[in-house]
Amino acid sequence: MKFDVLTLFPEMFKPLEESIIGRATKNKKIEINLVNIRDYSKDKHKKVDDTIYGGGAGMLIKPDVVYDAYKSVASEKAKVIYLSPKGKTLCQDKVESLAKEEHLILLCGHYEGIDQRVIDKIVDEEISIGDYVLTGGEIPAMVLIDSVSRYAQGVLNNESIKDESFSNGLLEYPQYTKPELFENMKVPEVLLSGHHKNIERFRRNKSLELTYRNRPELLEKVELTKEDKEYLENLKKEDNDGYIKIN
Ligand SMILES: C[S@@+](CC[C@H](N)C(=O)[O-])C[C@H]1O[C@@H](n2cnc3c(N)ncnc32)[C@H](O)[C@@H]1O
């Protein structure tokens, strides 16, 4: 899988040289090519931005430099994504579907953003990483590359991905490693029992509880078993018994 990143700040992508993504690049499971948009400026001072028509604070990246940078990597198969707070929010389903693409071109804005005409001309999809505004699209592009690459062929083994948060619609259960006793806190007994069915139920219940407490809206989309429903009903009952309801 190939990522071409159009950016004014290629040096910001150093973190992707580390750890799992760095290894995946070295092993040629993924390829990350950084394209400096500034290299395509025809201006003698390498200017890439200008003031905004109609007024307004800040500067906008010019369409022609972005277009020329794009043309240097364009391909028939490529899907072009503009990282933007105006896009649809990135979620696990989107990550997994993007991992099936062969070639992604990621466009990073900066300053006030990018002239709309080049966005209309080349971009297939706008993706946001959350409802807040960052100074540039570089960190969002790294978030996208990191999350998508984990699902690219040969980057992780399938077992590591299987039970993770969101993969079955729920948040992942808490996990523990050695030592068995830490600061007077013991690893839950059931995890030491070797009883696979009980361990599975314990983990499922913890996932349900965490999702119910932190992201209850996710539960609406999950297929729940009779046991799941009973467990959640009991949780809700305990909560209601424990709190004094106002209004
Ligand atoms: C300061 S922002 C521009 C914000 C724009 N003027 C607006 O109000 O929507 C500069 C660049 O950062 C990137 N960016 C900022 N927040 C983002 C987010 N939540 N998700 C993805 N990209 C973001 C985009 O590439 C954007 O062009």
Side-chain angles (χ1 to χ4, degrees), residues 60-61 82-87 107-114 119 127-141:
L60 213 55
I61 303 178
Y82 173 40
L83 285 309
S84 159
K86 298 181 223 175
L107 174 58
C108 306
H110 227 90
Y111 316 122
E112 279 309 309
I114 298 176
I119 296 172
I127 293 183
S128 163
I129 61 159
D131 291 347
Y132 39 80
V133 178
L134 296 150
T135 55
E138 285 72 18
I139 292 171

Side-chain angles (χ1 to χ4, degrees), residues 202-241:
F202 170 83
R203 287 179 163 167
R204 177 82 180 172
N205 286 350
K206 287 290 174 194
S207 271
L208 287 166
E209 180 172 356
L210 209 60
T211 311
Y212 165 68
R213 299 217 183 282
N214 292 349
R215 299 289 306 279
E217 78 283 4
L218 294 178
L219 288 173
E220 285 160 28
K221 293 188 223 133
V222 180
E223 223 176 285
L224 298 171
T225 64
K226 190 165 159 269
E227 270 177 303
D228 292 341
K229 285 181 192 157
E230 274 170 17
Y231 181 75
L232 284 168
E233 276 314 309
N234 281 334
L235 267 184
K236 284 180 199 163
K237 198 164 165 292
E238 275 169 30
D239 277 1
N240 289 338
D241 290 348

Side-chain angles (χ1 to χ4, degrees), residues 122-175:
I122 67 171
V123 170
D124 296 309
E125 205 172 338
E126 293 191 34
I127 293 183
S128 163
I129 61 159
D131 291 347
Y132 39 80
V133 178
L134 296 150
T135 55
E138 285 72 18
I139 292 171
M142 281 190 267
V143 168
L144 191 145
I145 292 171
D146 187 291
S147 55
V148 170
S149 296
R150 300 178 79 248
Y151 289 84
Q153 198 67 40
V155 174
L156 289 180
N157 72 39
N158 291 343
E159 276 304 300
S160 331
I161 300 169
K162 197 169 70 74
D163 273 346
E164 278 187 324
S165 296
F166 309 111
S167 55
N168 62 359
L170 299 173
L171 304 180
E172 192 190 54
Y173 45 81
Q175 299 183 100

Side-chain angles (χ1 to χ4, degrees), residues 4-245:
D4 281 305
V5 187
L6 312 181
T7 169
L8 285 172
F9 297 94
E11 310 78 23
M12 284 181 74
F13 288 82
K14 281 260 172 235
L16 295 181
E17 289 170 19
E18 298 295 324
S19 178
I20 294 166
I21 303 301
R23 202 164 55 233
T25 313
K26 276 187 203 108
N27 294 340
K28 304 209 180 324
K29 303 292 179 200
I30 57 169
E31 186 186 341
I32 303 169
N33 176 40
L34 304 171
V35 178
N36 191 340
I37 297 172
R38 199 175 294 281
D39 289 345
Y40 293 85
S41 169
K42 294 185 185 83
D43 180 272
K44 68 173 183 228
H45 302 294
K46 291 281 173 202
K47 191 172 151 74
V48 289
D49 55 352
D50 219 319
T51 51
I52 303 174
Y53 280 120
M59 303 286 268
L60 213 55
I61 303 178
K62 289 147 73 77
D64 49 343
V65 280
V66 171
Y67 190 48
D68 288 346
Y70 159 75
K71 281 193 291 186
S72 75
V73 292
S75 82
E76 280 282 299
K77 284 187 188 149
K79 187 180 187 105
V80 183
I81 294 171
Y82 173 40
L83 285 309
S84 159
K86 298 181 223 175
K88 292 205 180 129
T89 313
L90 187 62
C91 64
Q92 186 66 22
D93 284 349
K94 179 48 94 181
V95 163
E96 290 182 35
S97 85
L98 288 176
K100 296 187 182 113
E101 299 286 338
E102 268 178 48
H103 184 192
L104 294 178
I105 298 178
L106 307 181
L107 174 58
C108 306
H110 227 90
Y111 316 122
E112 279 309 309
I114 298 176
D115 185 292
Q116 187 62 38
R117 290 166 294 177
V118 71
I119 296 172
D120 293 343
K121 184 152 179 75
I122 67 171
V123 170
D124 296 309
E125 205 172 338
E126 293 191 34
I127 293 183
S128 163
I129 61 159
D131 291 347
Y132 39 80
V133 178
L134 296 150
T135 55
E138 285 72 18
I139 292 171
M142 281 190 267
V143 168
L144 191 145
I145 292 171
D146 187 291
S147 55
V148 170
S149 296
R150 300 178 79 248
Y151 289 84
Q153 198 67 40
V155 174
L156 289 180
N157 72 39
N158 291 343
E159 276 304 300
S160 331
I161 300 169
K162 197 169 70 74
D163 273 346
E164 278 187 324
S165 296
F166 309 111
S167 55
N168 62 359
L170 299 173
L171 304 180
E172 192 190 54
Y173 45 81
Q175 299 183 100
Y176 307 86
T177 183
K178 294 179 180 65
E180 214 175 292
L181 190 68
F182 164 70
E183 295 284 315
N184 247 351
M185 290 179 281
K186 204 170 175 304
V187 170
E189 207 58 51
V190 62
L191 299 177
L192 310 172
S193 68
H195 193 301
H196 295 301
K197 223 168 154 224
N198 288 353
I199 292 174
E200 213 178 289
R201 188 66 243 169
F202 170 83
R203 287 179 163 167
R204 177 82 180 172
N205 286 350
K206 287 290 174 194
S207 271
L208 287 166
E209 180 172 356
L210 209 60
T211 311
Y212 165 68
R213 299 217 183 282
N214 292 349
R215 299 289 306 279
E217 78 283 4
L218 294 178
L219 288 173
E220 285 160 28
K221 293 188 223 133
V222 180
E223 223 176 285
L224 298 171
T225 64
K226 190 165 159 269
E227 270 177 303
D228 292 341
K229 285 181 192 157
E230 274 170 17
Y231 181 75
L232 284 168
E233 276 314 309
N234 281 334
L235 267 184
K236 284 180 199 163
K237 198 164 165 292
E238 275 169 30
D239 277 1
N240 289 338
D241 290 348
Y243 290 107
I244 299 165
K245 269 203 178 147

